[in-house]
């Protein structure tokens, strides 16, 4: 049974002898039955597997044939065998070794699944996603493999247009078309950099910029704090695209019409106008959708309401694009006659509309899920998720440590020194790998992971701050402490995972 950490303060008292080389003396009433004595690890001769380095699942050492306690070696008491030789948090449990006890704390569940065997959700170490082109303003810019497909498509389509406008170019028209594709995506990069600069100005972290199929994406890791900032953050992209269109229009006035520079500048002007107009459509995940979200947020005072409204408008927009774009091209409203839009052109228009609609629909759904995540994150609080813990000293046997934990209703063990200072945390997965009949011969500290600064988290952490702390220092268990350094309990990554999933399953 999980309990809050408030009652899990370590109680003062000695959990055993402080001298590691001198195990505590057994109580007289229990000395005749060391296999039932939870007070101390009785010595046991090392097996060949233990001599070479014990591994999970290895057979335990044999006791003497008369059934009495194992005899110590000539050089003193034998060191308790390590039950988890690799120290990597192996989750092999007693059930796999033929033992009926499913949990080291006599609970009805042992947790091994989730975010990498009990680890918190991990972000990639380095945000990849294609070829790294540079780091303007410290933000990595990647070109996704899908960009090369789009660049080839633009080169082919624009090359066909050039053949009608500048037939004298011949095969060189494809080189000019490739230059146009690169220049167009450079304009897209400037559009995304506008979002990035605004985000950095508002102190919002930007993970990366990715140029990909049908445009670019600026991955801003946090939402703006106010609707006004959200509106500005969304609007600067289309605004800069409009500014680029104006710059290309002015540059057109300085060159001769019907030349390669004139055609290129005209194409870049029109393409930037299309990018600006498309992004201003009021539906997520487009910039216009984020602007609509900011407006609804401002009116209602609830960012989630703005997200829901803008996401559903985005889904309606996706359906409109899927149906309307082919009808629009067939009607000749885009400057071509209906007779020209037959055969392959009709298929191409329908395919283009389907791809755009899928991108918009998927992006709207992702925006809804991300908003729900951020809304439920505050429910994740270290103080309420912390397990009650009991302190044990380094030479306390595992069976005695588990007895104390069960008696106190605790589900975690903290190894402390003689003064009660925490040294390490006993890993739940390692306990599960120790057969019950060997636990009197194993020190709890043998299964513990040494505490590092990153494994100490404040009991006041909650929401995204809590997840960031766990991501920065991946582990299976964390020591939760009060502001004054006092032990509050132990936080298991599996408990955070379950609370996260449970919160996300609830409706907004």
């Amino acid at each position: 049974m999980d309990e809050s950490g408030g009652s899990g303060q370590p109680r003062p008292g000695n959990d055993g002898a402080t001298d590691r080389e001198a195990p505590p003396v057994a109580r007289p009433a229990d000395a005749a039955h060391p296999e039932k004595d939870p007070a101390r690890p009785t010595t046991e001769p090392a097996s060949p597997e233990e001599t070479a380095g014990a591994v999970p699942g290895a057979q335990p050492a044999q006791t003497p044939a008369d059934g009495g306690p194992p005899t110590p070696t000539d050089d003193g008491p034998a060191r308790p065998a390590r039950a988890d030789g690799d120290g990597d948090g192996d989750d092999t449990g007693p059930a796999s070794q033929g033992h009926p006890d499913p949990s080291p704390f006599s609970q009805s569940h042992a947790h091994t699944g989730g975010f990498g065997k009990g680890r918190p959700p991990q972000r990639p170490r380095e945000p990849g996603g294609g070829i790294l082109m540079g780091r303007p303003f410290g933000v990595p810019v990647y070109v996704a493999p899908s960009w090369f497909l789009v660049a080839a498509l633009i080169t082919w389509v624009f090359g066909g247009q050039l053949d009608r406008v500048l037939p004298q170019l011949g095969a060189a028209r494809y080189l000019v078309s490739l230059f146009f594709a690169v220049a167009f995506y450079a304009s897209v990069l400037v559009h995304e950099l506008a979002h990035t600069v605004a985000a950095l100005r508002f102190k919002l972290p930007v993970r990366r910029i990715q140029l990909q199929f049908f445009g670019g994406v600026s991955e801003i890791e946090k939402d703006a704090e106010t609707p006004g900032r959200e509106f500005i953050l969304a609007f600067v992209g289309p605004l800069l695209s409009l500014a680029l269109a104006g710059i290309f229009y002015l540059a057109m006035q300085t060159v001769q019409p019907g030349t390669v520079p004139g055609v290129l500048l005209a194409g870049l002007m029109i393409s930037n106008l299309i990018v600006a107009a498309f992004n201003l459509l009021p539906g997520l995940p487009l910039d216009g959708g984020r602007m609509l979200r900011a407006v609804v947020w401002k009116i209602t005072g609830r960012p989630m309401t703005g997200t829901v409204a803008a996401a559903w408008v985005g889904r309606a927009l996706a359906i409109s694009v899927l149906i309307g774009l082919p009808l629009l091209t067939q009607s000749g409203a885009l400057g071509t006659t209906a007779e020209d839009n037959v055969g392959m052109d009709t298929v191409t228009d329908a395919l283009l509309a389907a791809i755009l609609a899928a991108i918009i629909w998927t992006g709207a759904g992702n925006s809804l899920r991300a908003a729900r995540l951020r809304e439920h994150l505050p429910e994740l609080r270290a103080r309420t998720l912390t397990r009650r813990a009991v302190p044990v000293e380094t030479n306390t046997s595992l069976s005695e440590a588990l007895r104390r934990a069960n008696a106190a209703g605790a589900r975690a063990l903290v190894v402390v020194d003689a003064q009660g200072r925490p040294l390490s945390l006993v890993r739940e997965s390692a306990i599960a790998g120790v057969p019950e009949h060997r636990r009197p011969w194993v020190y709890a500290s043998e299964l513990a992971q040494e505490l590092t600064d990153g494994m100490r988290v404040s009991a006041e952490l909650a929401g995204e701050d809590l997840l960031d702390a766990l991501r920065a220092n991946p582990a299976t268990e964390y020591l939760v402490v009060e502001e004054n350094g006092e032990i509050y309990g132990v936080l298991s990554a599996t408990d955070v995972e379950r609370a996260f999933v449970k919160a996300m399953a609830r409706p907004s």
Side-chain angles (χ1 to χ4, degrees):
M1 179 179 67
D2 295 332
E3 297 185 19
S4 301
S7 58
Q9 303 291 345
R11 297 187 301 272
N14 197 358
D15 289 319
T18 59
D19 185 2
R20 178 56 186 269
E21 285 71 26
V25 178
R27 293 170 298 193
D30 298 320
H33 301 283
E35 70 279 4
K36 297 181 181 179
D37 176 18
R40 76 189 222 354
T42 310
T43 58
E44 179 178 330
S47 67
E49 290 83 3
E50 291 165 338
T51 303
V55 296
Q59 294 296 323
Q62 301 297 318
T63 57
D66 61 0
T71 57
T73 57
D74 294 337
D75 55 353
R79 176 187 175 91
R82 178 181 289 273
D84 186 70
D86 57 1
D88 61 356
D90 192 298
D91 288 339
T92 305
S96 64
Q97 303 176 30
H99 298 284
D101 183 13
S103 170
F105 292 96
S106 299
Q107 301 294 324
S108 60
H109 50 273
H111 314 295
T112 58
F115 303 119
K117 293 189 177 182
R119 292 185 181 273
Q122 299 296 308
R123 294 176 182 170
R125 293 179 182 178
E126 175 66 23
I131 302 173
L132 179 62
M133 303 301 295
R135 294 178 180 272
F137 306 103
V139 177
V141 176
Y142 291 91
V143 174
S146 60
W147 177 86
F148 295 95
L149 177 62
V150 178
L153 180 62
I154 292 175
T155 301
W156 177 60
V157 173
F158 194 68
Q161 299 292 330
L162 283 178
D163 190 36
R164 282 180 274 187
V165 179
L166 299 171
Q168 67 273 18
L169 288 178
R173 67 181 183 273
Y174 292 109
L175 184 61
V176 177
S177 299
L178 179 60
F179 178 83
F180 170 78
V182 174
F184 168 67
Y185 268 87
S187 300
V188 173
L189 175 59
V190 172
H191 175 109
E192 298 302 329
L193 283 174
H195 292 306
T196 297
V197 171
L200 296 177
R201 175 66 178 79
F202 294 144
K203 301 187 184 305
L204 302 176
V206 182
R207 182 167 175 255
R208 67 175 178 179
I209 297 174
Q210 186 184 51
L211 299 180
Q212 56 186 5
F213 199 81
F214 279 109
V217 176
S218 300
E219 297 187 9
I220 302 172
E221 295 187 328
K222 292 185 178 180
D223 282 340
E225 296 177 354
T226 64
R229 290 187 174 186
E230 174 77 0
F231 189 92
I232 294 173
L233 189 59
F235 183 58
V236 291
L239 179 63
L240 202 53
S241 293
L242 287 173
L244 286 176
I247 292 173
F248 289 130
Y249 174 77
L250 293 176
M252 282 174 55
Q253 311 308 312
T254 65
V255 299
Q256 187 70 26
T259 61
V260 170
V263 172
L264 283 175
L265 290 171
L268 289 172
M269 178 197 70
I270 294 173
S271 62
N272 275 277
L273 282 174
I274 293 174
V275 168
F278 182 73
N279 275 279
L280 285 172
L281 292 175
L284 287 172
L286 303 175
D287 294 331
R290 298 188 64 183
M291 294 163 63
L292 174 61
R293 173 181 183 269
V295 172
V296 177
W297 178 5
K298 179 66 174 179
I299 294 173
T300 63
R302 285 178 51 85
M304 186 64 185
T305 302
T307 301
V308 171
W312 279 105
V313 172
R315 287 174 170 175
L317 182 62
I319 297 175
S320 300
V321 169
L322 179 63
I323 299 173
L325 184 59
L327 294 178
L328 195 62
T329 54
Q330 287 296 313
S331 67
L334 298 181
T336 58
T337 62
E339 292 77 11
D340 293 334
N341 295 314
V342 294
M344 184 58 69
D345 289 342
T346 302
V347 175
T348 302
D349 292 339
L351 181 61
L352 176 64
I355 293 174
L356 284 175
I359 291 174
I360 296 173
W361 183 279
T362 302
N366 290 339
S367 298
L368 273 176
R369 283 187 289 273
R372 184 191 298 175
L373 166 64
R374 288 190 171 95
E375 186 179 52
H376 288 307
L377 273 182
E379 299 176 19
L380 302 180
R381 298 181 177 275
R383 187 174 293 278
T384 58
L385 294 174
T386 297
R387 297 179 178 185
R388 184 176 183 180
V390 295
V392 295
E393 293 199 353
T394 56
N395 51 6
T396 303
S397 71
L398 179 58
S399 60
E400 168 64 7
L402 294 179
R403 185 193 66 79
R404 295 180 188 178
N406 288 329
R411 295 189 57 209
L413 300 173
V414 179
V415 179
V416 298
D417 61 14
Q419 287 72 41
R421 291 187 296 263
L423 301 175
S424 55
L425 301 179
V426 179
R427 293 171 295 131
E428 182 180 9
S429 59
I431 298 174
V434 182
E436 187 174 3
H437 68 276
R438 293 199 61 191
R439 292 175 181 176
W441 284 273
V442 177
Y443 288 149
S445 58
E446 294 286 339
L447 310 177
Q449 181 177 3
E450 183 180 358
L451 276 173
T452 62
D453 290 339
M455 292 173 63
R456 299 172 187 261
V457 298
S458 170
E460 302 302 324
L461 286 180
E464 197 161 354
D465 292 336
L466 174 61
L467 291 185
D468 287 342
L470 303 192
R471 291 188 189 110
N473 302 277
T476 55
E477 287 91 13
Y478 300 83
L479 180 68
V480 181
V481 296
E482 297 282 9
E483 293 182 358
N484 60 2
E486 185 179 0
I487 297 176
Y488 184 75
V490 171
L491 177 66
S492 172
T494 55
D495 293 341
V496 179
E497 174 202 351
R498 287 197 307 275
F500 180 86
V501 173
K502 184 177 179 181
M504 288 297 293
R506 287 197 294 270
S508 299

